[in-house]
Amino acid sequence: MNPKYQLSRKKEIVIHLLFWVIYLYFYLIHFDSSGKIQFDFGLFNCTWLLIFSLTFYLNYLLILPRVYKKFTLKKALIGLLLLFVFFIGIRYMTEQIITNLIWEKTNYYADTNLLYYALDNLYFGSQPIIISSVMWLVISFVRLSQYNAYIAEEQKNAEIKFLKAQINPHFLFNTLNNIYSMVYLKSDRALEAIEKLSDIMRFTTYESQKDKIEIEQEIAYIQSLIELESLRHSTSDFIDFTIENQSNKKVWISPYVLSPLVENALKHAEISNEDKIQIRLKYTDVALEFIVKNKIGNHQKDEVGGVGLDNLQKRLQINYPDKHQWKTREENQVFTALLTLQLHEK
């Protein structure tokens, strides 16, 4: 997994160290009535810390990972039973047998009933079990959340790559049809059109792989599209393209967020000098407005004519979530597309 999403082992160790510092502070340090610090560091304080830490990490490192690997209630109950048996057994062996043999001291009276001892230690044993379980669950939840964020990011990147992969075939489909028409009509502009297409494909090959490009590059790409279409129609008077730049800074946008609107107009518009395709671009370093208007042609739209706009809409949702407005209107045989963006600096 990408390290930026991962709660590393080093960070996990730091969390544990902080926990132990806090726990030891409250367990070993007290203040008397006069405000003086008192350290409770006797024999059975040491044995308790040993037993507590052993039970804590038995649960944290062995029991919980196995129980939650494929959780069942039966596994959870068995794990809980094993922890209490371990805690009670290790505490009895340490504080009733070993300390008695070495220092002749026991934590409980020597004649304490074993059933009472076991029941009493259900309370004490629950402390390391509950604390270690809470810590393990919290850290696991954080890691799961980070993993889900990583998966979401990977899915987003994969979808963007897929959508970008759709752009070149869609553009080639339209452009090659145009060049085919010129070749079929034996136009002397066919070679120039192929050269223009070569220039455009250089842009699509290199710039489409970037997350952001300068807006001037997208504008140059649009102008190349217009020039290529002008070659096919032997005129450039059918388009009115105006640009208003109100920014003194470099402006960055995701590639192919403007050109699909122009491609759509070039493909479906009624090409004439009277009903020109109107393209208006106005932008600053923080916002952008792009309007494309065209008279709808009489030729019938093919079934895949909406690929470019559908593709654009999906990429806007990914790259500019809640930071774009996308509107289209068809009125009196005039199609209008309006796109506004809140821009991000690179």
Side-chain angles (χ1 to χ4, degrees), residues 19-20 23 47-56 127-128 131:
F19 162 74
W20 283 111
Y23 182 82
T47 57
W48 167 256
L49 290 174
L50 173 64
I51 297 161
F52 183 98
S53 59
L54 288 174
T55 307
F56 183 102
Q127 295 180 32
I131 295 173

Side-chain angles (χ1 to χ4, degrees), residues 72-124:
T72 62
L73 182 59
K74 181 180 178 181
K75 287 174 64 176
L77 292 175
I78 291 173
L80 191 62
L81 178 63
L82 289 174
L83 285 168
F84 277 113
V85 169
F86 175 82
F87 178 86
I88 294 169
I90 199 72
R91 191 177 192 196
Y92 186 86
M93 181 178 295
T94 303
E95 296 182 345
Q96 299 299 114
I97 297 175
I98 295 177
T99 56
N100 186 42
L101 289 174
I102 299 176
W103 294 283
E104 296 184 351
K105 291 182 179 181
T106 60
N107 194 15
Y108 285 74
Y109 294 116
D111 58 350
T112 300
N113 182 274
L114 288 177
L115 179 60
Y116 171 82
Y117 186 89
L119 292 174
D120 190 51
N121 276 279
L122 289 178
Y123 165 76
F124 293 106

